[in-house]
Amino acid sequence: MRRRRSTSTAPGPLRSPVLAVCLALLAGVLTAAGVPSAAEAFSGPATVRATTRSVATTRSVAAVPPTGAFVRRAGTQLTLDGKPFRFSGTNVYWLGLDDNVRDAAGQPTVPTRFRIDDAFRAAQASGGTVVRTWGGLVGCPKCIEPHRGQFQDSAFDSIDYAVASAARHGQRLVITLVDNWDYYHGSKLTYTGWRGLPEWAFFSDPGVIADYQAYITHFVQHVNPYTKLAYRDDPTIMAWETGNEMWCQTCAGNYWDGSWTRAVADHVRSVAPQQLVIDGHGTDPSCRTGCLHEPSLDIASVDVVDDHFYPMQTDRVLSAAQTAARHQKAYLVGEYDWNNHRGGVPLTQFLDAVRTSGAVGALSWSVVPHADTAGFVDHDDGFQFFFPGRDDDERNRTDLLRSFATTLSGSAPTDVAPPAPCGLTQVPASGGTGLRWRGAAPAVRYAVQRRPAGSTTSWQGLTAQARDQVVLPAGGALWSDTTATAGKSFEYRVAGISVRGVQGAWSGAVRPGVTGTCPA
């Protein structure tokens, strides 16, 4: 996906219609699978007691790390512990270096552990079990390979932590090793630029290909201090992808003969033989049928072929999956426009086509985490997913994603208690007392309570419908208490509530003039 960083301060509403008819048809499936309807999950009375179930009275399913087994391929399908493995999931491209949060000099930053964990919790709560991310960090000061042949292993720390976090949250990883598009983390043009060569040389020059292979070797052999495993020995890493949307724009007619794919896939197989290899050759978004490069599908070291959808197209899914099956390869929808930002068929229709096509999985683009202060990180490429969504349409789509994950994998999404909010602070707000806090997935909404400042009286429930799916201006309020008596001071506390109504722990109480803090 070509990503763009917005300069806006808050995301605008979606214009897509609500999928009411589709949701009604799926209501029976959702109920049978134990997944609540959109109304059950995201709405209800304003009192805490009527809409939440506490951790003490509701069984919460713990996050289960992936097993010690590697995901394997058997013909056109993937297996885990000898059983079919199909999945829903998402993309979280920024786990190694984040362009959405910039430092004082305007440079990308290393994501905090909170944001990494938050993204995996959101992926898990959406029903996902696989996350795709970027591992190609080259040509920048904070990159793994800032200059040709010079590696700084300290730059692995964020990815190291992400691999360990993925395991804790029951997620497997697809790691893409280079980008076609020239962004902040480097790309194919970084490699050709190091040798003063044009773009096409990335796909044919022996020296450039050797440079890329050297990066791959260094990357997969890196030992993660959090897991004590080399990446190539870690079953949490399901697959390595040869690249993201790899095209040769300067080759005549965008010609692609597959020799580069063979050279890279064979090398990945030689240095990481236990993990899958995904062909990341891009296809023209305007293509409808016959889009895959079939000669590449005959490369023995390729296990899976990746395809991206902007917009979502059912005929192309079915055609491409049939092509992959004809060559005995697994087919993956590695990115798709989950919110119909670019039109296309309705989400429910697309997901049904993915399911019936025999594709091994589908990964939405893309999860955005909570900010380290309050609200969400500012990202606006049109496809951002602020779990569980900013409006009824997006929350209905989250319902569809959870149902799709249940149908595809055969098990309902994990539902865990949200972490306690932190950093709760009273701030000025029009018409009342404003509150801001750092929330955390898998909270879909928040309960708010108050009592007179300094008292030990019982807490009064104010709402169970406070939300935080916004990009918040500095010092802005997420929710305002408009019923507070003028001239009287109150203290407040908040708690997150999951999709299925599991309430997490309360935040610390906050009085006027006190700024709440969060762990480092």
Side-chain angles (χ1 to χ4, degrees), residues 17-28 30 38 346 348-349 393 396 400:
V18 178
L19 301 177
V21 175
C22 300
L23 287 168
L25 293 174
L26 280 169
L30 292 167
T348 184
Q349 186 176 335
D393 179 60
N396 287 336
L400 288 173

Side-chain angles (χ1 to χ4, degrees), residues 7 22 75 86 105 107 149 168 170 184 199 216 231 281 317 336 348 369 380 411 418 440 455 470 479 508:
T7 56
C22 300
R86 298 184 78 188
Q107 297 302 308
R168 290 197 308 275
Y184 69 98
E199 181 253 3
I216 293 171
Y231 284 173
H281 171 53
V317 165
Y336 65 94
T348 184
D380 184 10
S411 60
S455 75
V470 296
W479 182 85

Side-chain angles (χ1 to χ4, degrees), residues 359-490:
V360 294
L363 308 176
S364 63
W365 187 276
S366 64
V367 160
V368 179
H370 280 87
D372 294 306
T373 52
F376 277 68
V377 167
D378 187 7
H379 179 85
D380 184 10
D381 61 6
F383 313 99
Q384 62 275 11
F385 182 21
F386 292 12
F387 176 84
R390 296 164 294 179
D391 54 25
D392 287 343
D393 179 60
E394 290 189 359
R395 290 189 282 271
N396 287 336
R397 289 170 185 267
T398 299
D399 227 10
L400 288 173
L401 292 175
R402 286 171 59 87
S403 177
F404 171 70
T406 299
T407 302
L408 207 62
S409 68
S411 60
T414 299
D415 194 53
V416 300
C422 65
L424 180 62
T425 303
Q426 296 188 32
V427 296
S430 177
T433 300
L435 298 177
R436 58 184 284 122
W437 63 86
R438 185 175 82 178
V444 300
R445 52 193 170 92
Y446 297 84
V448 182
Q449 293 183 344
R450 79 177 182 200
R451 67 183 180 186
S455 75
T456 57
T457 60
S458 298
W459 290 92
Q460 175 191 3
L462 300 178
T463 184
Q465 300 299 326
R467 302 191 186 277
D468 69 348
Q469 288 80 26
V470 296
V471 175
L472 200 65
L478 287 168
W479 182 85
S480 296
D481 179 8
T482 59
T483 66
T485 303
K488 189 172 183 179
S489 296
F490 293 93

